[in-house]
Amino acid sequence: MKTLIKFLTVISVVFSSAVFAHVHLEKSVPADNAMLMKTPEELTLAFSKEVRVVKITLKNKLGKKVKFGFKPTKEAHTEFTWKLPKLAPANYVVDVTFLGKDGHKMKDSFGFMVH
């Protein structure tokens, strides 16, 4: 019985810290799997809690990176926006690496298409 109680205690602590520490990308503009008729003017990311974005890449279907002036953030925010250059018609993938307030490193990615 003592072993079961210890096991359940450990599981509940691990689960509760994972739930409270988990930050996720709530919304992006362009949205994941969006099919756009014109090039987007901006890239916007909205997170569930404050984060620092430390790396973000925008690549076309050939894997070529598109430069758009990203610099890692020093302050934590829930929303970030960057101006985008004119994008050629193609499929694009955004990969983002961000840090929660506790320093936990997380990654997310999404894609969209410009016709």
Side-chain angles (χ1 to χ4, degrees), residues 14-35:
V14 169
F15 180 72
S16 64
S17 9
V19 167
F20 290 117
H22 186 71
V23 178
H24 63 277
L25 180 63
E26 285 189 326
K27 179 182 170 188
S28 66
V29 177
D32 189 22
N33 296 317
M35 291 190 191

Side-chain angles (χ1 to χ4, degrees), residues 40-102:
E41 294 180 12
E42 297 178 330
L43 172 63
T44 300
L45 305 178
F47 295 90
S48 59
K49 294 182 182 175
E50 288 188 340
V51 299
R52 288 182 41 230
V53 176
V54 294
K55 183 178 179 184
I56 187 167
T57 57
L58 172 62
K59 295 184 253 181
N60 67 15
K61 65 182 176 185
L62 301 175
K64 183 178 177 187
K65 290 183 182 179
V66 176
K67 293 183 182 181
F68 59 96
F70 169 76
K71 292 187 188 323
T73 58
K74 295 182 187 219
E75 294 183 22
H77 298 283
T78 57
E79 188 168 306
F80 301 87
T81 300
W82 299 273
K83 296 279 187 203
L84 291 177
K86 184 166 176 57
L87 301 176
N91 290 319
Y92 291 90
V93 175
V94 176
D95 293 310
V96 60
T97 303
F98 52 98
L99 300 176
K101 283 208 168 196
D102 63 354

Side-chain angles (χ1 to χ4, degrees), residues 4-15:
L4 178 61
I5 291 172
K6 285 181 185 178
F7 175 74
L8 292 174
T9 302
V10 168
I11 293 297
S12 67
V13 167
V14 169
F15 180 72

